[in-house]
Amino acid sequence: MEEDEFFGEKTFQHYCAEFIKHSQKIGDGWEWRASKDCSDGYMCKTHFQVKNGTAVSHQGTSDHVQTFLPVEEALDAPLDDFEVTETTAAAEVIKYEYHVLYSCSYQVPVLYFRASFLDGRPLALKDIWEGVHECYKTRLLQGPWDTITQQEHPILGHPFFVLHPCKTSEFMTPVLKNSQKINRNVNYITSWLSIVGPAVGLNLPLSYATAASHDEGNVSGQDSSTERKSLEEH
Amino acid sequence: MTDDKDVLRDVWFGRIPTCFTLYQDEITEREAEPYYLLLPRVSYLTLVTDKVKKHFQKVMRQEDISEIWFEYEGTPLKWHYPIGLLFDLLASSSALPWNITVHFKSFPEKDLLHCPSKDVIEAHFMSCVKEADALKHKSQVINEMQKKDHKQLWMGLQNDRFDQFWAINRKLMEYPAEENGFRYIPFRIYQTTTERPFIQKLFRPVSTDGQLHTLGDLLKEVCPSAVAPEEMWFTWVMPKSDVLMIYLSYC
């Protein structure tokens, strides 16, 4: 379709391709998936996270043992600390999938995600909210239905959680304006993902910022204060 | 748009006679009779089936009841699709009434969105209306409305109040006199033959040389692999491009 807007689908795909190039360099796991009819596609990444971040400890103190340990395993588990920790680890590992799609209605990228335990049980929305960092909670609690909602993935058709795109251009405009002012090149996807990702457990290594400036052959001092500032303002 | 009022009313008041039967493996204390209901095409399953839920829960114990969900011939029904769309996609070639099976257990997490309250339906509906306006007016009309107008739109749908709904919706259907239509036409094409849930692309109501686009133009552009437009069957067939916009813009 036509691209009379600043951020059309082709632009989106270009920035994703640049982003993925860097991801491949540092082994960050992002890849491009084309839709079956190849008319479009999305960027995706899967990562595993341990709930509470402590289950792989070898200390095996009772603090780390979760109450949802399966009954049979609880009865059979020997008193050996290491084995208790192993079983705990399986119960607490969560698989996160992140998909970055393009919204032609809002002409911005949109973050879709879902989480499940290793046995396939999906995490509910309230569990996802519990995993949201403190600094985002106030805003999300004010209007939860406006920000993270469960929706149908427009290409795969399955339920995913989505960060609503209608405010995206609002917070991205200052980032882009500022980068123009200081004459620094910005990968829209990198900047956008570094702002919205942390709200749902997705963090970007800082080297993405370096890569973005180098893309157009522009060498500049590295600081992500531009992105952080916009984050605080919004 | 006033001469299209009849069409608008026909679309709004469309109904599908439906028979709800409890899934045979649900645990009941006594036999559950089927429940008959006329479903509004323009509404959503979870919004209009409170009576269905109450009817079946009367013969069940609380502990055997969790989130309700509906299924037709083995396919879980997506409550977030308009009822008319579900019927046309899955059951239009079968005899009436539409036979839907009701479940209270084993919610299919991989197929269906959860619907824990009416607020979720409202949020989904409003999200569709907003997205449509983003395409039609760059969100200007919807954003200029007050919260009470948004609420009136939703209440009109929830309470089946045509006039209440259209008092607000008509503003979303207007465009400046100097323009020939909306910026882009909000549409989605659903097919059972594809994995992709729907086709949605940017499409202008007028071509670059000023010709008004028709439904046939739209299909040729976004769905060329489909059967020839003349042979396709639509629920509400409208050859005129301005009437086209009204139907398609309803979201």
Side-chain angles (χ1 to χ4, degrees):
Chain A
M1 281 295 127
E2 26 201 307
E3 309 223 341
D4 54 4
E5 289 300 316
F6 167 72
F7 194 73
E9 184 147 17
K10 291 208 168 62
T11 311
F12 164 77
Q13 290 177 355
H14 164 75
Y15 282 130
C16 284
E18 293 297 313
F19 182 91
I20 288 170
K21 263 192 217 151
H22 184 74
S23 169
Q24 283 164 345
K25 263 199 214 134
I26 64 172
D28 197 30
W30 285 92
E31 57 181 34
W32 181 260
R33 283 207 198 135
S35 57
K36 278 235 164 85
D37 56 9
C38 291
S39 57
D40 57 4
Y42 56 94
M43 216 171 63
C44 72
K45 170 178 171 165
T46 302
H47 88 246
F48 297 86
Q49 202 162 323
V50 168
K51 209 177 185 195
N52 302 329
T54 54
V56 289
S57 142
H58 286 241
Q59 285 150 13
T61 55
S62 55
D63 307 348
H64 302 315
V65 175
Q66 295 294 310
T67 50
F68 51 77
L69 195 64
V71 175
E72 317 83 283
E73 270 151 310
L75 292 176
D76 291 345
L79 296 170
D80 176 72
D81 288 350
F82 182 74
E83 289 225 25
V84 170
T85 311
E86 284 276 313
T87 327
T88 313
E92 287 179 293
V93 174
I94 299 172
K95 173 184 168 188
Y96 286 87
E97 278 176 79
Y98 299 98
H99 292 200
V100 174
L101 277 81
Y102 178 71
S103 162
C104 60
S105 306
Y106 293 103
Q107 312 214 324
V108 290
V110 188
L111 183 61
Y112 287 75
F113 61 97
R114 63 180 173 185
S116 59
F117 293 101
L118 290 183
D119 59 7
R121 275 177 301 136
L123 256 71
L125 188 51
K126 65 173 176 63
D127 298 323
I128 307 267
W129 274 334
E130 273 162 28
V132 168
H133 195 280
E134 282 310 313
C135 66
Y136 299 93
K137 272 188 175 164
T138 336
R139 161 94 204 281
L140 290 176
L141 286 172
Q142 275 162 13
W145 305 122
D146 290 331
T147 330
I148 298 182
T149 53
Q150 198 188 28
Q151 283 182 38
E152 179 182 55
H153 191 290
I155 296 178
L156 300 178
H158 298 306
F160 271 73
F161 295 111
V162 188
L163 266 182
H164 206 277
C166 62
K167 301 280 186 233
T168 300
S169 54
E170 223 178 271
F171 65 75
M172 282 306 292
T173 308
V175 172
L176 300 168
K177 281 216 174 95
N178 197 58
S179 71
Q180 275 167 14
K181 237 197 304 176
I182 62 174
N183 200 31
R184 177 184 158 194
N185 283 305
V186 150
N187 178 319
Y188 188 108
I189 293 295
T190 304
S191 304
W192 165 78
L193 202 49
S194 69
I195 294 172
V196 301
V200 296
L202 176 65
N203 294 292
L204 292 192
L206 283 181
S207 65
Y208 276 104
T210 323
S213 331
H214 284 166
D215 276 345
E216 319 291 309
N218 199 16
V219 180
S220 54
Q222 289 326 295
D223 74 334
S224 37
S225 62
T226 312
E227 279 84 14
R228 295 259 164 79
K229 220 155 99 206
S230 306
L231 180 64
E232 278 148 34
E233 280 160 20
H234 293 92
Chain B
M1 261 197 38
T2 39
D3 52 349
D4 295 316
K5 195 132 194 235
D6 288 339
V7 172
L8 298 183
R9 293 190 77 91
D10 284 346
V11 169
W12 181 269
F13 290 108
R15 294 287 186 266
I16 298 170
T18 308
C19 172
F20 290 92
T21 307
L22 188 64
Y23 180 55
Q24 60 194 16
D25 290 356
E26 299 288 330
I27 300 164
T28 57
E29 295 183 318
R30 48 188 187 285
E31 173 112 26
E33 294 284 318
Y35 190 88
Y36 292 84
L37 195 55
L38 279 175
L39 298 178
R41 281 181 151 274
V42 301
S43 192
Y44 301 98
L45 274 174
T46 43
L47 190 56
V48 298
T49 49
D50 280 344
K51 291 201 174 124
V52 177
K53 194 158 74 163
K54 285 200 179 81
H55 169 80
F56 291 115
Q57 287 182 345
K58 267 201 297 239
V59 304
M60 296 174 74
R61 290 174 314 171
Q62 201 45 47
E63 59 260 39
D64 297 321
I65 297 170
S66 58
E67 187 171 356
I68 193 172
W69 58 280
F70 305 96
E71 161 247 309
Y72 173 70
E73 295 193 341
T75 304
L77 296 177
K78 299 185 181 187
W79 65 263
H80 70 284
Y81 284 7
I83 290 167
L85 170 62
L86 288 170
F87 177 79
D88 293 341
L89 263 185
L90 303 170
S92 55
S93 51
S94 303
L96 294 172
W98 185 16
N99 287 300
I100 291 181
T101 307
V102 182
H103 293 255
F104 287 98
K105 285 219 289 286
S106 310
F107 190 87
E109 305 274 354
K110 296 211 163 67
D111 300 303
L112 300 183
L113 304 182
H114 281 284
C115 191
S117 72
K118 297 276 187 300
D119 292 343
V120 174
I121 313 174
E122 180 179 2
H124 165 71
F125 174 73
M126 289 312 301
S127 168
C128 288
V129 173
K130 286 179 186 174
E131 184 174 350
D133 203 56
L135 289 167
K136 289 186 281 184
H137 304 117
K138 283 205 215 184
S139 303
Q140 275 160 13
V141 177
I142 194 77
N143 285 345
E144 268 163 23
M145 281 182 181
Q146 294 176 355
K147 255 203 148 59
K148 69 175 173 70
D149 292 333
H150 294 176
K151 208 59 176 176
Q152 185 173 333
L153 209 52
W154 167 246
M155 296 305 289
L157 179 71
Q158 184 177 25
N159 300 327
D160 191 27
R161 300 280 310 277
F162 177 85
D163 292 321
Q164 185 182 33
F165 179 86
W166 274 97
I168 308 298
N169 199 42
R170 65 175 181 79
K171 296 186 218 168
L172 292 164
M173 298 302 286
E174 287 165 353
Y175 48 86
E178 60 270 18
E179 305 287 334
N180 251 322
F182 302 128
R183 186 150 182 268
Y184 296 109
I185 298 196
F187 75 89
R188 282 183 180 167
I189 296 177
Y190 295 82
Q191 296 169 287
T192 47
T193 50
T194 55
E195 183 189 273
R196 191 182 193 113
F198 53 79
I199 297 173
Q200 179 178 344
K201 293 189 180 159
L202 294 179
F203 188 80
R204 291 205 192 270
V206 184
S207 68
T208 39
D209 52 2
Q211 297 296 312
L212 290 175
H213 279 139
T214 63
L215 183 55
D217 294 329
L218 171 67
L219 293 174
K220 255 188 238 159
E221 176 84 47
V222 307
C223 201
S225 56
V227 174
E230 316 81 62
E231 292 164 31
M232 285 182 80
W233 181 76
F234 297 93
T235 313
W236 304 295
V237 180
M238 295 163 201
K240 282 160 53 190
S241 59
D242 53 354
V243 183
L244 162 79
M245 288 190 293
I246 288 169
Y247 157 56
L248 294 178
S249 305
Y250 170 69
C251 83

